[in-house]
């Protein structure tokens, strides 16, 4: 049951990453605008948005591929960490812009509330992915104990 829940959670996180990428693909301007408003040049912001879009697509798709789930989960945890630092930075600004997350974090009219929600969401998703890695790791060890030949390459 734990392994099933861990797999479902990774699918959910995959959907979050694919939706974020899709949002940037449809309209990259909110993310670009958010970066420009914190001092990033418009050309660099535009480039960064498309690199981020690509990274989100790769992580989202990789979370669905069984052989790549561990690497994708670790990458996703890092992305959540980096984005959480960005949201924390936004909280330090007197009047921060919306985070540029498309529709994923625009639940509140106030950008600070959206940033707080995003921080909480990212931490929960990262903790969930870390737990899913632990479940996967313990399940792999248990299978190896009973079927040692299954752990050989």
């Amino acid at each position: 049951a734990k392994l099933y829940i861990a797999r479902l959670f990774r699918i959910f996180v995959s959907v979050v990453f694919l939706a974020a990428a899709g949002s940037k693909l449809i309209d990259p301007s909110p993310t670009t605008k958010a970066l420009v408003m914190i001092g990033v040049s418009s050309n660099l912001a535009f480039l960064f948005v498309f690199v981020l879009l690509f990274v989100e697509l790769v992580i989202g798709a990789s979370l669905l591929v069984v052989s790549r789930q561990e690497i994708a989960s670790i990458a996703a945890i890092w992305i959540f960490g980096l984005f959480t630092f960005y949201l924390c930075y936004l909280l330090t600004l007197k009047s921060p812009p919306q985070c540029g997350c498309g529709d994923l974090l625009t639940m509140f009219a106030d950008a600070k509330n959206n940033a707080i929600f995003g921080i909480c969401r990212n931490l929960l998703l990262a903790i969930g992915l870390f737990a899913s890695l632990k479940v996967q790791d313990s399940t792999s060890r248990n299978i190896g104990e009973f079927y040692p030949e299954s752990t050989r390459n």
Side-chain angles (χ1 to χ4, degrees):
K2 288 181 183 179
L3 187 59
Y4 182 71
I5 292 169
R7 287 181 183 156
L8 282 178
F9 188 78
R10 280 193 297 271
I11 291 169
F12 172 73
V13 174
S14 171
V15 169
V16 169
F17 271 90
L18 294 173
S23 174
K24 287 174 192 65
L25 189 60
I26 292 168
D27 185 10
S29 63
T31 308
T32 306
K33 181 180 174 185
L35 291 170
V36 169
M37 289 181 73
I38 63 168
V40 178
S41 74
S42 59
N43 289 338
L44 187 58
F46 189 75
L47 176 65
F48 180 80
V49 168
F50 280 96
V51 168
L52 181 59
L53 184 152
F54 177 75
V55 168
E56 288 171 339
L57 281 174
V58 169
I59 291 173
S62 296
L63 283 167
L64 298 175
V65 178
V66 174
S67 65
R68 300 286 181 226
Q69 286 179 346
E70 184 175 355
I71 294 168
S73 293
I74 292 167
I77 290 168
W78 274 98
I79 293 295
F80 285 136
L82 292 173
F83 188 57
T84 298
F85 279 115
Y86 167 69
L87 292 173
C88 288
Y89 171 73
L90 291 183
L91 286 177
T92 67
L93 301 177
K94 185 175 182 175
S95 58
Q98 289 290 351
C99 64
C101 311
D103 295 332
L104 295 177
L105 287 179
T106 53
M107 295 177 57
F108 307 101
D110 180 44
K112 286 195 178 205
N113 287 335
N114 280 327
I116 291 168
F117 174 78
I119 290 166
C120 294
R121 182 203 71 170
N122 290 347
L123 291 175
L124 289 173
L125 290 175
I127 290 167
L129 276 176
F130 183 76
S132 77
L133 283 172
K134 291 296 180 188
V135 167
Q136 180 180 331
D137 187 45
S138 67
T139 305
S140 298
R141 274 195 233 128
N142 290 340
I143 290 172
E145 289 171 8
F146 295 108
Y147 304 103
E149 66 278 358
S150 70
T151 60
R152 293 185 196 141
N153 290 331

